[in-house]
Amino acid sequence: MSTPPSASSAPPADRRTLIADTAIGLVAAAGLRGLTHRAVDAAAGLPAGSTSYYFRTRTALIGACYQRLAELDLADVDDGSPSGAALPGRPGAAPDREAAAAALAGLLYRWLTVGRARQLARFELSLEAARNPELEADFHRAGQGARSRAAGIVAALGSQRPQEAAELLVAWTEGLLYDRLAGALARSRPAPDLAELTAVARRMLAAALADPV
């Protein structure tokens, strides 16, 4: 078995994270055409062959991106909004809809501004799973974390059918992000506005928590 490149003293876990973060950045900047093992090595400042040592195939590298994207998105959810509001279901979070709307709006605002590149990369990488059956399991596993967290949020807000409500909330959130970041009107829309996003989040939560017909 080959030995890992030794130019860096970073532990393997840190090296894997660096590689995944760099790969995500390359996809955000250049799309999937820019994602090669050699390009990741160069962009991360790693010795040639480092990326292929940890992730032998492009499929394995993309799978690592899915996992890392899920980790980063869930960390954002746990951090709460810029105003300090936390989504329900977390320690210190108020179980009321208005606080939840404020926290969700803050999360959306973050993903539409400082987190924009990462979300664009996530959308780009998600399409690859639709074309490559080998990626299906990794993509599904990464997506389950967001849905489980959403189910906890709506359950804390009183939903009697949290799984169903969570599926709706995630779908609407994804749709809003895609529309604002990559939709036909994305370039002509005004800059993200926290007050407007709070109103949107309030409506999304109300619809998700409504009694099913």
Side-chain angles (χ1 to χ4, degrees), residues 61-132:
L61 181 58
I62 292 174
C65 290
Y66 291 153
Q67 179 181 340
R68 181 60 176 157
L69 285 165
E71 289 173 358
L72 292 169
D73 282 351
L74 287 176
D76 284 346
V77 173
D78 291 343
D79 284 346
S81 74
S83 66
L87 284 161
R90 308 301 300 169
D96 68 79
R97 292 190 189 186
E98 195 55 35
L104 179 55
L107 190 62
L108 290 168
Y109 184 83
R110 178 184 299 178
W111 287 342
L112 290 170
T113 53
V114 295
R116 178 181 183 276
R118 191 211 310 165
Q119 295 304 315
L120 285 172
R122 187 170 64 82
F123 286 128
E124 183 110 27
L125 286 160
S126 69
L127 292 174
E128 192 67 10
R131 304 185 186 103
N132 185 350

Side-chain angles (χ1 to χ4, degrees), residues 151-172:
I153 291 168
V154 293
L157 290 171
S159 173
Q160 299 302 305
R161 300 171 69 172
Q163 197 61 46
E164 182 178 313
E167 292 287 345
L168 290 172
L169 187 58
V170 169
W172 290 331

